[in-house]
Amino acid sequence: MSKKSLPGVHVPHFKHTEECAPVRMPVPAKVEISLSQHLGAPADPTVNVGDYVKVGQKIGDSQAFMFAPIHSSVSGKVVGFGQIMNFIGMPLKTVIIETDGKQVVHESVQPPTVTNKAEFIAALKECGLVGLGGATFPAHIKFNVKDEDNIDSLILNGAECEPYLTSDYRTMIDRTEDIMDGIRAIQKYLGIKNVYIAIEDNKPKAIEKLRQAAGNDASIHVCPLEAKYPKGGEKITIFETTGRTVKEGKLPSHEGCILSNITSVATIGSYLRTGMPLVEKCLTVDGTAVAEPKNVIAPIGTYYKDIFSFCGGYKEEPKKLIAGGLMMGVTQPSDTMPVQKGNNGILALGASEIDTDPATECIRCGKCVRACPMSLMPVYIDKAYQANRIDEMRSLKPTLCLNCGCCSFSCPAKRPLTYTVQRAKFAVIAANRADAEKAKAEAEKKAAAEKK
Ligand code: SF4
Ligand code: SF4
């Protein structure tokens, strides 16, 4: 394990729910299941209005390469198709189901037959599994590495460094055997030698539980990492467990690694045993506006308002709703949004948690630079973005930004650095694309002229 700890910030942890074993909520009256809960192409519905569907039945499928199938989380009647907006305002089609409360399981839900890598990858696809840490990358593509002889390390991300969230922590405590089953299956079918389990050192119970589960297996290394946000960032976790650096524009596989969220690996373990695809999620429900914070297991497609009701409702009017953690979560327009595969928490923040101080001028303290785990210079990217100097933005490499929020968190002037670095990143990507298109058009023009 690498001894070096990368920069970051010490965030308040607010892990109020860490001792709350997840509670399965009653089946809601209605669910709304998005057909696009993964990176890639949306699924096409395979059901019609009026159809009776069962738990685990496939309701969305596609021929696209990058996608993951969608299954019903409930039994009941399809009553319509709807639409929700994703975080960049793109409309996503949904299937709306009125539940019958019986949770009848579909006949297709059977443990898969898996004896080799191809069957393992096919099983991951049928499970509908995506990266459950929020990345939502389809698991059957991530684990289908072409150069498997070069992959020697599987890294499980159990850092869960975000304030409030404890759902991965509960997976490590309550589903340890699922995790071990998932690890063994990945090792067996992909031939991976070493497994590193990354956990922040402020979670001693989880560290102990996984060490006990690993027993004498010398291939499994439980790696306590210094509790410093954002320990769960992909490149950071890889560096701090293996000492390897994933270079700009490269994937973990270029460094011989596959990195997966720990609950994703537990889901592999339970799917191979039961055949039940990904139809429910454990979410941490917290924030000062929530009456009874807890970890809740909810059918995918459950409206946030039903989950908050299950947690005793609001004890004050929420000032902000966030899907995910405080640092990297996405602000939600309302509590009528439904749970998706990538959700691991929903927060209802009260007035005391909202910072209303306005941003002031930079005082050149350099704290944002020292906090950045990617060694970027947010203060200069901010200035270059404000002045629309694209070449300067390019040279400052905002494309490496993890969107972790450490710069904004550190800034005494409360400058919205994370936002401006993201804007600079999009500006550089767009400018690079425009330059490439221009160069291609010029090359085609030159080639056509030479032909004449
Ligand atoms: S610039 Fe990006 S990677 Fe660096 S601290 Fe800010 S948000 Fe994080
Ligand atoms: S932390 Fe804020 S005030 Fe300090 S250098 Fe960065 S932008 Fe300026």
Side-chain angles (χ1 to χ4, degrees), residues 137 234 238 245-257:
F137 194 90
E234 181 176 83
I238 291 172
T245 302
V246 179
K247 297 183 187 67
E248 186 178 1
K250 299 292 180 190
L251 296 169
S253 56
H254 290 111
E255 290 299 322
C257 304

Side-chain angles (χ1 to χ4, degrees), residues 35-364:
L35 289 165
S36 184
Q37 302 186 49
H38 45 265
L39 272 186
D44 300 315
T46 55
V47 288
N48 295 305
V49 173
D51 286 357
Y52 181 77
V53 293
K54 299 177 183 174
V55 180
Q57 179 175 342
K58 204 179 280 180
I59 59 170
D61 210 343
S62 171
Q63 296 302 314
F65 170 72
M66 181 70 100
F67 114 103
I70 307 289
H71 302 83
S72 179
S73 56
V74 294
S75 60
K77 189 173 159 191
V78 177
V79 294
F81 295 103
Q83 188 172 284
I84 55 171
M85 295 292 171
N86 73 0
F87 71 103
I88 53 166
M90 240 176 69
L92 309 174
K93 193 170 182 177
T94 60
V95 179
I96 303 169
I97 303 169
E98 267 177 15
T99 65
D100 63 4
K102 296 177 183 163
Q103 291 302 79
V104 180
V105 174
H106 194 255
E107 303 71 40
S108 63
V109 176
Q110 301 289 338
T113 301
V114 177
T115 58
N116 55 39
K117 181 185 168 189
E119 289 173 351
F120 178 65
I121 297 299
L124 296 187
K125 186 172 183 182
E126 284 309 302
C127 174
L129 181 60
V130 300
L132 299 182
T136 69
F137 194 90
H140 67 279
I141 299 173
K142 171 179 278 197
F143 285 99
N144 194 14
V145 283
K146 302 293 172 231
D147 48 354
E148 61 194 61
D149 290 347
N150 295 327
I151 305 292
D152 61 10
S153 299
L154 168 69
I155 298 149
L156 270 59
N157 186 349
E160 202 168 49
C161 50
E162 276 270 10
Y164 287 110
L165 302 185
T166 61
S167 59
D168 282 344
Y169 176 74
R170 292 312 313 185
T171 299
M172 292 188 274
I173 298 292
D174 306 319
R175 300 179 60 196
T176 320
E177 276 315 305
D178 284 345
I179 295 170
M180 300 317 288
D181 288 349
I183 288 173
R184 290 186 189 110
I186 296 166
Q187 283 189 300
K188 181 173 176 184
Y189 298 117
L190 271 58
I192 295 180
K193 290 190 204 87
N194 290 306
V195 178
Y196 299 89
I197 306 177
I199 309 175
E200 281 194 330
D201 60 10
N202 59 359
K203 301 177 179 70
K205 276 193 206 170
I207 292 168
E208 185 52 31
K209 193 105 199 268
L210 284 155
R211 279 191 173 144
Q212 277 180 14
N216 296 326
D217 188 337
S219 71
I220 301 177
H221 314 270
V222 178
C223 307
L225 307 181
E226 183 193 352
K228 196 200 294 177
Y229 178 86
K231 216 47 94 182
E234 181 176 83
K235 290 181 181 182
I236 295 161
T237 312
I238 291 172
F239 178 75
E240 295 205 4
T241 50
T242 66
R244 299 175 193 175
T245 302
V246 179
K247 297 183 187 67
E248 186 178 1
K250 299 292 180 190
L251 296 169
S253 56
H254 290 111
E255 290 299 322
C257 304
I258 298 180
L259 181 126
S260 177
N261 166 268
I262 201 152
T263 301
S264 301
V265 173
T267 305
I268 292 173
S270 60
Y271 178 72
L272 294 178
R273 194 177 66 250
T274 65
M276 178 58 78
L278 182 59
V279 294
E280 62 181 21
K281 271 310 298 275
C282 174
L283 304 104
T284 300
V285 186
D286 206 343
T288 52
V290 180
E292 299 161 16
K294 50 174 77 115
N295 283 305
V296 177
I297 300 172
I300 285 171
T302 302
Y303 293 112
Y304 293 160
K305 61 186 169 69
D306 291 333
I307 299 175
F308 285 124
S309 291
F310 179 65
C311 294
Y314 301 125
K315 60 182 182 190
E316 67 174 271
E317 189 60 33
K319 295 288 180 206
K320 196 176 193 180
L321 296 173
I322 298 177
L326 197 59
M327 299 294 283
M328 290 185 73
V330 178
T331 302
Q332 299 297 300
S334 79
D335 60 7
T336 57
M337 294 293 279
V339 172
Q340 301 197 43
K341 293 178 181 179
N343 276 162
N344 43 18
I346 44 172
L347 308 177
L349 305 184
S352 63
E353 291 171 294
I354 304 295
D355 188 350
T356 51
D357 291 348
T360 54
E361 284 303 306
C362 169
I363 56 169
R364 302 172 66 85

